[in-house]
Amino acid sequence: MAGGAEPAPAPELQRVVEALELLLRPPAGPDPEAALRPEMLRSNAAALEERLRRAPGWEALRGLRRAVLARAPALAAGAAGEAEPGWAAACGLLALLLCLKERLAALAALPAAPAAGPGAAPPPSADTLSVAQGRAVGRALRAAVGLGLAPYLPPGVGQRPGPPAPPLSPPATRGARLHAATAALAELAQHPALGGPLLARHLGLLLAGLCLLGHGPAAHSEGVSEAERARCREALRHILDRVYQPLAVRELLILQGRPKQSPPSPGEETKPALVRAPAWLRRLCGQLLSERLMRPSGVQAVVRGIMEGTGGGSGAEAAAVDWRKCDMVAKILASCPQQCLSLEDYYRLVCPQILDLLHIQDKLTARQFQRVATTTLLTMAKEHPQLAEKHLLQPLLAPLLRCSETAELAVEDLSAGTVLVTEAELGSCVEDVLKVYVVGNDSSSLLLGSLQSVLGVVFSLYSFAKQNVSYLRSPCQEILLWFLEKSEREVSLAVLEGFAGLNSSVHALHPRCRFRAGSEGGAAIAVEETISDEDEALYQKVSLEQCHVENLVELLSHCQKSGLAGDFFIRCLKELTRVAVEDEADSNSAAVPRRSLLELEQYHAGQRRKLLVLQLVATLCESVSDTVFTDVAQVEEFVAATLQRACLSPARGPGAAAEAQTLAMAMGLVAAMLSGAVQLQSSDFAVLKRLVPLLEELSRTYPEPLTQELATDLRIAICTRGAFSPGTVGAAADGVLGRKPGTGVQSPAGIPGAAPSPGGGQALLRHDRSSPSAPRERSGEQSESHEPGTAGPAPAPCADSPAPAGLQELLVSAYDPQPPSRAAALRCLSSLITQRDPEALRLQEKLLQVFLENVQHEDAFVYLSAIQGVSLLSSEYPERILPVLLARYGCPARGTEDTAAAVTRMKLGEVLMRVTRALGDMVFKHREPLVQAFLRGARDPDSALRASSLSNLGELCQHLGFQLGSIIQEVTSCLTAIAKTDPEAEVRRAAVHVVVLLLRGLSEKATEVLRDVLRDLYRLLKHVVAAEPDGATVLHAQLALEELDAVMRRVLFPPQALEKKIVVLP
């Protein structure tokens, strides 16, 4: 571009674009593809040449085009030829595109134009193409590739679906022409404005041309020198390194083609088949793909290149395609490429990138990437377990291993408060473990073993999350449950024992490490300062053990269907048997006068283990539901453990009652199964036969005769497969199932060979007389069993009572040693009263005596059932029953301790309040005795009874309302004295609460009913607010003042009601 003044850049840039449009100008008609027909290409080329020679303003473009063609003689020769208009048009387009590249580079070197003004957007750079220019450049690139590159590629090299276009040139010139077009396109790809649309749309064909020229057979490169081929290889690597890597991977995979004899994926049967790529191209693409994989972030590039664009479909076909691609990517990543010299080097390079796939945040691709990462990890673990554990599993579990008790922590070098694992790191680790282990769901020994090494830390984190608000609770629980489900049963049981601290099968959290609540709802792990106070350290340790036991039982509640909870419960019972045997041996052996330090340490460890076993069994008994056993075999193991413990250490000492009750329950469970509660098969009887030796030993060695008799009868029933079932078996089954005695099985008199026993089916009840739940009725029941015709000191009805048989059975069951049976009988008696059963109402005095005796029972289920029965009976006959209740409330029974008497009187107070509610307005008739009883109770020495009486008094006054009358003076005086002088805060609190109930119950009527004492109550409340030290009492007083203030405001300032009055004049 020498000589003359340089034209303005913008017109020259536009001139190049106009030349491109002129060369691709379509004819007049609806078919836009007609512009690529030979005659149209020849016509457009002639028009362009004419324009360049004669049109004014085109001289600069003509000179630039001449300079470009001088550097590319192959393009110059092709553009001048007229025999092949397609190749001539391609050369002309490439020459014009190279001219455009030159002008864009020149414009980019010019200084940027200043902004139009302050605050205005900067103007675009001089080399920026407009939308219309970009569209024209895109058409030119598409035509140049279609005319100058695609026709000269052999079949299978860069071909898209469909029949390939046959080249029009002779074979001798194909290599030179391909090289000329490829070199020009590679030069265009170096410019950002032209390389973007070129590489985005035509990368595959450009790579195919470079691969063929640089690495293909020599037959396809005739006329191309070795130096030119070397430049093609260099351009190939430069383009592959420059472009978006997933795009490069995808294009290389397309070039590589489908593997041989690979079946088509679902949904691809209707697509045109791709021509199989030649072997040299497949090998080259494999090498290039391996190089992409070995680069930094190469794993993600390979995964994105294969997976992008999938997963968006719906239905089974899209899901199948997605799974197949995930498995294919996993196999690719798990296979070491040939370029890598060492398998370990490959794992060291690729494994961190595989773990990074688990942390993709993009919701659209996260599921696929996590699936690929999980599948790859599992594949590597199967193929090379040692390398996978070293480079995948250990880095994955590193945050948990770092704070395990086996970690070699230089704790002396770490100051208190040092954070070992941050909140983000711990949360990410737990989520990764959930994705790999639980979602991957591969129960190989390698994965289970690696997870077991950190289960102790995960369980500690689960316990911490249960006590706090943390999102880690659910993933930790899923991880623990997955391991317990997938592991062998013995391993799972050992791990559960490790959680409880009974063995070392799991590695717990380091003693110096503690969890901290995180700011994002997670947790962090930090070094804790050593506690110098031994008592505080012991308290922390015991509290932590208690927390772990409770959370372990909570975890087991989710394992009942699989039977794991039952097996663990049985194992704990067997461990309890060993503890009992060891205690028996220790008590029989002589005390060792002196022990070494090691022996003392072992002794204390043994004692700690015994305490843990007892604590664990107690918590399991309280928390695990009755569905813990899932089959007869588990029930047999439970009963066998109980029988073995009874045979080795018969019930003696302070725990004899509990041991006897446990034994009765176990034997009753077997009796219930034999009596038809469970449909037993032949295999079940084979399992139950394992109990026969233990039952035989129990029948010979147990000190209780009734237990010996029941053990013998159970052994007979098992050996005869239930064909012969003595009466004691049916009675034991009734006791466990809570049925009425004698209704579940045939009576002993109806069974051949069975001797009748006194009391019918109550042998099991007499067997368990030593239960501590009913101390008052023992002597009466024993005298009843020996002298049926006389009444003992206990109120149990005798056998010759005139009551009907059904009611008589309920009265007897009301003194059952088992609390569930006793409570069920009391509930049945209460329902008879509700239904106004004539026989039950005829025995109202006896029923009242039964209910009042059971009110004193220590079990809440029993005494609440008795309270309900007394209240129902009192509401039916208040004239007869209330005086008895008031007398007992005022005067406790003789011979009882003060504490027991106070508790019984408080229960009777609850009965009186239920009667008050049931009577409603009829309670006015009994106002005087009720108020006097509660006022006397407010002066009792027991503070709890005083507070209970005041609470009852307040509720009674609330029910009486206008009917309080003159007793309000007595009530006010009592409340004032107690609120000011009582030494107990809870009693003062109750007194002020009575005032609150009074004001709240009377509402607007308070000014009328309390007009004589309202000032005294107000002064009392003000005194309490000013002088009371107890905060709760002050709060009650403030609530009462607020209630009084609201009442007075409603009285003094009544709400304005807009109403119309119609007056009829006379």
Side-chain angles (χ1 to χ4, degrees):
M1 303 211 316
E6 186 99 40
E12 186 176 342
L13 182 61
Q14 180 62 28
R15 196 73 68 197
V16 179
V17 176
E18 289 179 7
L20 291 173
E21 291 178 342
L22 180 60
L23 193 57
L24 295 175
R25 181 179 58 186
D31 188 8
E33 298 296 330
L36 299 181
R37 292 176 181 174
E39 60 274 9
M40 198 63 204
L41 291 174
R42 189 178 293 110
S43 173
N44 290 343
L48 176 61
E49 291 296 332
E50 183 68 20
R51 183 77 58 89
L52 287 173
R53 282 197 305 268
R54 298 184 179 182
W58 289 67
E59 296 83 3
L61 178 59
R62 184 171 65 249
L64 181 59
R65 180 170 176 264
R66 188 182 306 115
V68 169
L69 291 177
R71 295 197 305 267
L75 294 181
E82 297 182 0
E84 299 182 22
W87 171 244
C91 293
L93 287 171
L94 290 172
L96 290 175
L97 288 171
L98 290 173
C99 292
L100 182 62
K101 172 181 173 294
E102 294 290 339
R103 288 311 304 158
L104 289 174
L107 291 173
L110 296 177
S125 59
D127 62 339
T128 303
L129 296 174
S130 66
V131 176
Q133 291 171 349
R135 190 181 300 114
V137 170
R139 290 181 59 231
L141 288 172
R142 183 167 60 253
V145 171
L147 295 173
L149 181 61
Y152 302 99
L153 293 174
V157 180
Q159 294 296 317
R160 295 298 189 264
L168 304 177
S169 62
T173 61
R174 292 177 189 172
R177 292 184 177 184
L178 179 63
H179 175 264
T182 304
L185 291 173
E187 185 177 353
L188 292 175
Q190 296 177 4
H191 194 277
L194 300 176
L198 174 62
L199 297 179
R201 295 177 177 87
H202 312 290
L203 176 62
L205 291 174
L206 180 57
L207 293 179
L210 293 173
C211 290
L212 182 63
L213 293 172
H215 300 274
H220 296 289
S221 304
E222 294 182 9
V224 182
S225 65
E226 189 61 34
E228 291 173 338
R229 297 191 66 178
R231 284 194 294 269
C232 289
R233 289 192 290 269
E234 184 179 355
L236 174 65
R237 297 193 178 276
H238 175 72
I239 291 177
L240 287 176
D241 293 341
R242 175 188 167 191
V243 298
Y244 179 56
Q245 291 301 296
L247 179 61
V249 170
R250 184 162 61 246
E251 294 298 336
L252 288 174
L253 287 173
I254 294 174
L255 283 178
Q256 193 176 31
R258 186 189 300 276
K260 186 177 181 181
Q261 296 180 352
S262 175
S265 300
E268 296 184 356
E269 291 83 353
T270 59
K271 297 180 180 179
L274 294 174
V275 180
R276 181 170 171 77
W280 67 267
L281 182 58
R282 294 198 302 271
R283 290 194 299 270
L284 176 62
C285 290
Q287 295 175 3
L288 295 176
L289 285 170
S290 300
E291 292 178 2
R292 300 302 101 195
L293 178 62
M294 301 291 289
R295 287 168 56 89
S297 302
V299 170
Q300 191 171 144
V302 171
V303 177
R304 287 187 182 275
I306 300 175
M307 301 300 299
E308 279 184 349
T310 64
S314 59
E317 291 186 359
V321 172
D322 203 11
W323 275 108
R324 287 171 65 96
K325 287 194 174 183
C326 289
D327 292 341
M328 178 183 67
V329 177
K331 292 178 181 178
I332 292 174
L333 298 179
S335 303
C336 179
Q338 297 178 355
Q339 290 87 342
C340 191
L341 300 178
S342 169
L343 181 63
E344 186 166 0
D345 292 340
Y346 174 73
Y347 271 61
R348 187 183 300 110
L349 177 66
V350 169
C351 288
Q353 300 183 45
I354 294 174
L355 295 178
D356 290 338
L357 295 179
L358 297 170
H359 307 144
I360 299 296
Q361 299 299 323
D362 184 12
K363 294 182 179 180
L364 297 177
T365 58
R367 183 173 61 89
Q368 292 178 334
F369 278 56
Q370 292 167 9
R371 184 181 299 167
V372 169
T374 301
T375 310
T376 306
L377 189 147
L378 298 178
T379 305
M380 288 182 167
K382 291 178 181 177
E383 295 180 355
H384 305 284
Q386 295 180 350
L387 292 176
E389 182 178 10
K390 179 180 179 181
H391 297 287
L392 282 174
L393 298 180
Q394 289 185 1
L396 177 69
L397 304 173
L400 299 175
L401 293 170
R402 195 184 310 158
C403 56
S404 174
E405 63 182 357
T406 58
E408 298 179 359
L409 288 178
V411 292
E412 63 277 0
D413 300 333
L414 299 176
S415 59
T418 303
V419 178
L420 287 179
V421 183
T422 63
E423 179 185 4
E425 189 179 6
L426 184 60
S428 176
C429 176
V430 172
E431 291 177 355
D432 291 347
V433 171
L434 180 69
K435 296 170 186 175
V436 172
Y437 289 86
V438 181
V439 178
N441 198 23
D442 187 346
S443 56
S444 63
S445 59
L446 174 63
L447 293 177
L448 291 175
S450 62
L451 183 58
Q452 186 175 354
S453 62
V454 297
L455 274 185
V457 182
V458 175
F459 180 73
S460 300
L461 179 58
Y462 170 72
S463 301
F464 173 81
K466 287 284 290 183
Q467 295 177 325
N468 299 272
V469 179
S470 175
Y471 69 89
L472 295 175
R473 180 190 312 170
S474 178
C476 289
Q477 177 177 311
E478 292 186 34
I479 292 170
L480 295 171
L481 292 177
W482 179 85
F483 180 87
L484 296 175
E485 177 187 356
K486 297 299 179 181
S487 298
E488 296 181 0
R489 185 52 56 92
E490 285 300 320
V491 176
S492 299
L493 294 175
V495 166
L496 289 174
E497 289 182 344
F499 290 161
L502 298 179
N503 61 27
S504 57
S505 59
V506 294
H507 305 305
L509 189 68
H510 196 279
R512 287 287 309 277
C513 296
R514 287 294 179 271
F515 291 103
R516 286 182 181 176
S519 59
E520 301 296 330
I525 303 177
V527 178
E528 185 187 41
E529 186 177 358
T530 305
I531 302 176
S532 57
D533 188 358
E534 294 183 359
D535 294 337
E536 179 66 21
L538 181 60
Y539 173 75
Q540 294 286 349
K541 183 178 181 181
V542 172
S543 300
L544 184 62
E545 291 177 351
Q546 175 68 23
C547 175
H548 282 183
V549 169
E550 292 175 357
N551 292 316
L552 174 60
V553 175
E554 170 68 20
L555 193 66
L556 281 173
S557 64
H558 301 281
C559 304
Q560 295 190 18
K561 292 184 179 180
S562 63
L564 179 62
D567 290 343
F568 184 68
F569 186 43
I570 293 169
R571 174 168 288 203
C572 291
L573 290 178
K574 292 179 180 178
E575 187 66 28
L576 185 64
T577 302
R578 285 194 288 270
V579 169
V581 173
E582 292 175 2
D583 287 343
E584 187 77 15
D586 292 342
S587 62
N588 294 333
S589 62
V592 179
R594 291 183 179 181
R595 292 180 178 178
S596 64
L597 185 61
L598 179 60
E599 291 175 342
L600 284 175
E601 186 175 350
Q602 293 175 350
Y603 172 76
H604 289 307
Q607 294 299 315
R608 174 183 172 275
R609 178 183 175 84
K610 292 178 182 179
L611 291 175
L612 282 176
V613 170
L614 293 174
Q615 181 184 17
L616 186 58
V617 172
T619 309
L620 284 171
C621 293
E622 291 177 1
S623 304
V624 177
S625 68
D626 54 357
T627 59
V628 63
F629 298 133
T630 57
D631 52 21
V632 176
Q634 285 188 334
V635 176
E636 182 273 332
E637 290 187 15
F638 163 70
V639 175
T642 307
L643 296 179
Q644 187 177 9
R645 187 167 65 254
C647 294
L648 295 176
S649 56
R652 302 188 189 94
E659 288 289 343
Q661 192 169 6
T662 304
L663 181 61
M665 180 189 68
M667 299 174 73
L669 196 58
V670 179
M673 290 193 298
L674 293 172
S675 299
V678 178
Q679 190 68 30
L680 297 177
Q681 307 295 331
S682 299
S683 58
D684 299 331
F685 280 105
V687 172
L688 290 177
K689 277 189 176 181
R690 296 200 290 255
L691 298 175
V692 171
L694 291 173
L695 290 171
E696 184 177 2
E697 183 179 358
L698 192 69
S699 64
R700 289 186 289 101
T701 60
Y702 201 77
E704 176 64 35
L706 294 175
T707 302
Q708 293 181 358
E709 178 186 358
L710 180 59
T712 302
D713 293 343
L714 285 175
R715 182 170 60 87
I716 294 173
I718 293 174
C719 292
T720 59
R721 299 202 170 196
F724 180 78
S725 181
T728 53
V729 176
D734 292 337
V736 170
L737 299 176
R739 297 185 301 212
K740 296 179 181 180
T743 59
V745 293
Q746 189 179 5
S747 63
I751 301 176
S757 59
Q762 301 179 40
L764 180 62
L765 306 181
R766 293 197 308 275
H767 149 262
D768 208 9
R769 290 287 182 227
S770 58
S771 172
S773 60
R776 290 177 57 88
E777 56 264 32
R778 290 178 194 158
S779 58
E781 289 170 344
Q782 290 172 354
S783 61
E784 173 206 347
S785 61
H786 291 90
E787 299 179 18
T790 61
C798 54
D800 57 355
S801 171
L807 184 58
Q808 174 68 20
E809 291 174 357
L810 288 177
L811 292 173
V812 172
S813 298
Y815 292 92
D816 195 298
Q818 303 290 337
S821 301
R822 180 181 291 210
L826 294 174
R827 295 277 177 174
C828 292
L829 292 174
S830 301
S831 64
L832 291 178
I833 298 172
T834 305
Q835 299 167 8
R836 302 186 64 83
D837 183 78
E839 297 297 334
L841 297 180
R842 185 172 60 84
L843 299 175
Q844 56 181 276
E845 294 182 0
K846 184 175 295 185
L847 292 178
L848 177 62
Q849 192 175 9
V850 170
F851 286 137
L852 291 177
E853 287 292 332
N854 281 283
V855 164
Q856 304 176 23
H857 199 280
E858 61 184 6
D859 190 273
F861 192 30
V862 174
Y863 73 69
L864 287 176
S865 302
I867 287 174
Q868 181 186 12
V870 177
S871 62
L872 290 173
L873 198 60
S874 302
S875 61
E876 293 290 338
Y877 302 98
E879 302 291 340
R880 303 179 188 176
I881 307 299
L882 269 181
V884 179
L885 297 179
L886 291 171
R888 293 211 175 201
Y889 185 79
C891 301
R894 297 179 180 178
T896 57
E897 299 179 0
D898 294 341
T899 304
V903 172
T904 303
R905 292 175 68 185
M906 283 189 282
K907 294 176 182 177
L908 291 175
E910 173 65 21
V911 174
L912 292 174
M913 292 320 302
R914 292 195 183 193
V915 174
T916 300
R917 299 187 200 106
L919 290 177
D921 293 338
M922 295 297 295
V923 75
F924 174 75
K925 185 176 181 180
H926 309 280
R927 177 189 64 175
E928 298 293 338
L930 284 171
V931 172
Q932 291 174 7
F934 293 144
L935 289 177
R936 284 195 299 270
R939 298 194 303 270
D940 194 85
D942 189 273
S943 60
L945 182 59
R946 294 202 304 273
S948 174
S949 300
L950 288 173
S951 177
N952 296 337
L953 180 62
E955 189 170 353
L956 176 62
C957 293
Q958 193 175 15
H959 283 292
L960 287 174
F962 268 116
Q963 301 169 344
L964 277 172
S966 60
I967 64 170
I968 192 61
Q969 298 286 350
E970 301 178 43
V971 173
T972 305
S973 301
C974 177
L975 294 179
T976 303
I978 291 177
K980 291 182 178 180
T981 61
D982 198 281
E984 297 294 335
E986 61 175 348
V987 182
R988 300 195 301 272
R989 194 181 308 158
V992 178
H993 185 60
V994 174
V995 180
V996 177
L997 292 177
L998 267 175
L999 297 174
R1000 191 172 295 165
L1002 294 173
S1003 188
E1004 284 83 358
K1005 299 182 292 184
T1007 55
E1008 300 178 37
V1009 179
L1010 304 176
R1011 61 178 180 272
D1012 297 332
V1013 297
L1014 198 57
R1015 184 180 61 179
D1016 298 335
L1017 292 177
Y1018 177 74
R1019 290 177 176 176
L1020 172 64
L1021 296 175
K1022 297 296 287 185
H1023 169 78
V1024 171
V1025 171
E1028 174 60 45
D1030 181 58
T1033 308
V1034 173
L1035 178 60
H1036 282 299
Q1038 290 174 344
L1039 293 175
L1041 287 173
E1042 292 177 3
E1043 198 72 35
L1044 184 58
D1045 179 71
V1047 170
M1048 296 308 299
R1049 285 181 182 274
R1050 287 195 296 268
V1051 173
L1052 296 176
F1053 309 104
Q1056 298 294 329
L1058 298 177
E1059 57 183 11
K1060 293 182 180 180
K1061 292 185 178 180
I1062 300 176
V1063 180
V1064 180
L1065 297 176

